[in-house]
Amino acid sequence: NTTVISSTLSDCSAMADAGAIFSFYDNVIIRFWRIIRCNTPHAIDSNHWKIDAADNCWGTNDPSDYIPLYLNVSPWLVLNITAMPSTITPARTSVIRVNLTNNSAGHDTMSGGIVVPDGIPVAFAVTSGFGGILPQATTITSGATTATFTSAAAGTGTISATVDGQTVDVHIISTQSVIPFPGFLQPPTDPDDDGIFEDLNTNGRLDFADVVLYFNQMTWIAANEPVAAFDLNGNGRIDFADVVALFNEI
């Protein structure tokens, strides 16, 4: 048996059969490879069907066109993108994370301690909405990389990330800026940077006084503040469940 892990094959070609790997007799296991542009007519092939090529990156989230159906390539690695937080206000930031550690079966492969090769290029872009992202070009290290989106105006923004032939995107909601509560000079703050403004009395922390203030001002919040910035349970409205959720965060 032959096992090879965490390698890159790109722009390979052959007169027939496989552009990257063809096995005549040996049982071959490949894991956490990046295999791109190696289709002649397939990237890998075998004369005995004994290639195990699960958990590899094929430059696309659907590699079915690149591998013979009789070879084991499932599950394969998929490009994934997340935003944290996914709701911000103008001038605030969200961290955009891209990884190649999740596979098509929904499992995170990081627990195995092996990842795709470092140095895979990632291109970030803001495809809709107002704001900017930096860096726009970076590389994957230890299976992932990040960039920072800064909102310039209220609205919904879309940020994309492209690796080889695959592009994924994530949406970020930028709400209107929050305003001071009645009787306060400064607007609420978001101490934990999760997009929810828990510090209503602006003393720099979440405490029981904020819970009381939230309960007393529920009607005012719904009428005057961006709901998404105070909707702790994510149901799209201001209600008593948000008060309970705020209390449970203390």
Side-chain angles (χ1 to χ4, degrees):
N1 294 341
T2 301
T3 301
V4 188
I5 60 173
S6 194
S7 299
T8 294
L9 282 173
S10 65
D11 301 290
C12 302
S13 62
M15 294 299 293
D17 298 318
I21 300 172
F22 188 91
S23 173
F24 283 97
Y25 303 109
D26 206 5
N27 295 329
V28 177
I29 300 173
I30 61 174
R31 292 285 189 273
F32 302 99
W33 282 42
R34 174 190 178 218
I35 304 172
I36 56 171
R37 299 184 298 273
C38 296
N39 312 313
T40 326
H42 303 295
I44 62 174
D45 207 342
S46 168
N47 67 345
H48 54 68
W49 304 4
K50 293 183 179 180
I51 292 182
D52 183 351
D55 287 333
N56 293 293
C57 173
W58 301 92
T60 172
N61 281 356
D62 181 11
S64 56
D65 290 340
Y66 306 127
I67 306 104
L69 296 178
Y70 50 79
L71 295 182
N72 177 29
V73 300
S74 182
W76 51 82
L77 298 178
V78 295
L79 184 64
N80 185 59
I81 186 171
T82 58
M84 184 60 68
S86 58
T87 299
I88 57 178
T89 55
R92 299 296 293 271
T93 61
S94 176
V95 175
I96 311 301
R97 184 177 186 270
V98 166
N99 71 72
L100 277 169
T101 61
N102 295 86
N103 65 28
S104 57
H107 298 148
D108 189 343
T109 63
M110 282 294 291
S111 61
I114 304 172
V115 294
V116 294
D118 288 348
I120 299 175
V122 181
F124 288 98
V126 179
T127 56
S128 69
F130 299 96
I133 190 162
L134 290 173
Q136 294 181 355
T138 183
T139 58
I140 285 179
T141 301
S142 299
T145 191
T146 62
T148 300
F149 171 76
T150 303
S151 172
T156 299
T158 303
I159 293 83
S160 71
T162 300
V163 174
D164 297 325
Q166 181 66 50
T167 297
V168 292
D169 56 45
V170 65
H171 301 294
I172 296 177
I173 298 174
S174 181
T175 66
Q176 67 188 69
S177 298
V178 298
I179 62 176
F181 272 44
F184 292 85
L185 297 178
Q186 300 298 322
T189 68
D190 176 13
D192 56 2
D193 290 321
D194 65 350
I196 301 296
F197 288 72
E198 301 96 342
D199 175 26
L200 310 185
N201 61 8
T202 67
N203 66 353
R205 64 183 185 274
L206 168 61
D207 52 31
F208 188 71
D210 295 306
V211 178
V212 174
L213 184 57
Y214 194 112
F215 175 78
N216 290 334
Q217 297 291 346
M218 286 173 57
T219 301
W220 183 89
I221 294 171
N224 295 277
E225 297 281 17
V227 170
F230 297 89
D231 181 20
L232 280 88
N233 64 359
N235 67 354
R237 61 181 184 271
I238 304 300
D239 52 27
F240 186 72
D242 294 308
V243 179
V244 174
L246 186 63
F247 174 79
N248 289 336
E249 286 194 15
I250 296 177

